[in-house]
Amino acid sequence: MARRRKRKSRRRQEGRRILENVPQFSIECGEDKPVTAARKFIHSEGILPPALLLVKRNEHTTDRYFWAEKGLFGAQYVEENHFLFPSLRLSDEVPESMVVTRAR
């Protein structure tokens, strides 16, 4: 039997593209749970939102979290609902120097 292709959500693809422009930090969780390790790292390093944290759980698994003004979120949720996060709207805007205006 032929395998069916998984349908990719346009909204999620757009969210993933937006998250590519956000600063990323990679850490290992050690003895802590991944979320706890992410929170401790944010506190100790004084990271300002928005930021993406990649927390390595073991050699096979990496959890992704998004640090926003509202708190810490799973990156997949943010990809699907990027329009709910004002800090992502600011990083997604096109600079004025890139905007082309046409005279009539």
Side-chain angles (χ1 to χ4, degrees), residues 61-88:
T61 310
T62 301
D63 293 331
R64 298 168 54 233
Y65 298 101
F66 178 72
W67 176 234
E69 292 86 4
K70 301 174 185 179
L72 194 62
F73 296 88
Q76 184 174 342
Y77 173 79
V78 176
E79 287 173 357
E80 295 170 357
N81 301 291
H82 56 87
F83 49 86
L84 297 174
F85 296 88
S87 59
L88 289 179

Side-chain angles (χ1 to χ4, degrees), residues 35-48:
V35 175
T36 307
R39 291 186 184 282
K40 285 182 179 179
F41 182 76
I42 290 167
H43 183 72
S44 67
E45 299 295 319
I47 297 172
L48 298 175

Side-chain angles (χ1 to χ4, degrees), residues 85-101:
F85 296 88
S87 59
L88 289 179
R89 274 189 240 130
L90 296 174
S91 64
D92 188 39
E93 290 178 356
V94 178
E96 289 184 30
S97 60
M98 306 265 313
V99 176
V100 177
T101 55

